[in-house]
Amino acid sequence: MAERGRPLYTIGAVARMLDLAPATIRTWESRYGNVVPERSRGGQRLYSRDEVDQLRFVKDEVISGRRPAEAHRLLAERVASGEGFSGARMRILLAETKFGAAEMLRQLLGTEGFEVVLASGPDSAGRSLDDVAVTLAVVDSDNAGFDDLLRELKHRGASVRLLKEAGEQPP
């Protein structure tokens, strides 16, 4: 099975990645039937990277003003035409104050198929952060210097997660 088609993500993980309610994902599955994940032996939904990208496409279309039925119709047309989602990658903004840690996380996330943009400057394509659509922002919770950036990303609809030190317990 191709790497992007391998079922890896639970519905909870997909919901967090896309900032959607699990109930919304289940409703879209039962109502429209375009994205139907495999099930584990215990019956748990397991989504592939391609399916996550398809759900992201639908979410983006809904955010842009389409009704869910229209967004799913567009998804079905795109899939039927053979237009894939393999080129689409989740873009993560990494705001970490420790350069070594930031670089290590960038490499780790990059090998997992994510596109990583460091908050310290332009990404590898030379774009400024103003030109970069971010799906998820991972932020060093010890640094208040990213407050303005976080507000802007939340305003744009990015999901923001705080990065904790390895031994630190979450609040």
Side-chain angles (χ1 to χ4, degrees):
M1 177 176 291
E3 187 67 27
R4 293 193 54 80
R6 194 173 78 195
L8 297 171
Y9 306 105
T10 65
I11 194 167
V14 173
R16 286 186 300 275
M17 282 190 277
L18 300 179
D19 201 23
L20 287 171
T24 299
I25 298 169
R26 287 190 295 270
T27 299
W28 287 352
E29 177 187 341
S30 66
R31 189 169 291 165
Y32 305 108
N34 288 329
V35 181
V36 179
E38 289 189 30
R39 300 280 185 137
S40 69
R41 289 186 188 152
Q44 187 175 34
R45 288 171 174 85
L46 294 174
Y47 294 84
S48 69
R49 288 182 183 165
D50 282 334
E51 290 166 333
V52 172
D53 288 339
Q54 290 173 9
L55 289 170
R56 181 178 300 107
F57 172 82
V58 170
K59 176 191 172 190
D60 290 346
E61 291 296 316
V62 169
I63 286 172
S64 73
R66 295 193 191 279
R67 292 185 171 151
E70 292 175 276
H72 282 274
R73 181 184 53 76
L74 288 172
L75 172 64
E77 288 174 2
R78 186 171 174 169
V79 169
S81 72
E83 191 176 340
F85 293 85
S86 61
R89 298 189 314 169
M90 179 184 280
R91 186 171 293 127
I92 299 176
L93 175 84
L94 182 58
E96 166 61 61
T97 57
K98 299 170 198 80
F99 180 76
E103 184 58 28
M104 181 183 71
L105 286 168
R106 186 187 66 74
Q107 289 179 5
L108 176 66
L109 292 168
T111 61
E112 291 298 315
F114 300 106
E115 181 180 348
V116 180
V117 179
L118 296 178
S120 58
D123 68 3
S124 58
R127 296 171 290 185
S128 72
L129 292 180
D130 293 336
D131 301 330
V132 177
V134 174
T135 305
L136 173 67
V138 179
V139 181
D140 181 349
S141 63
D142 292 334
N143 189 313
F146 294 119
D147 289 344
D148 291 339
L149 175 64
L150 291 177
R151 275 192 290 281
E152 175 62 25
L153 290 169
K154 286 180 181 180
H155 177 72
R156 289 193 217 168
S159 180
V160 176
R161 300 292 180 256
L162 296 181
L163 182 65
K164 297 287 189 182
E165 294 294 330
E168 189 177 340
Q169 293 297 318

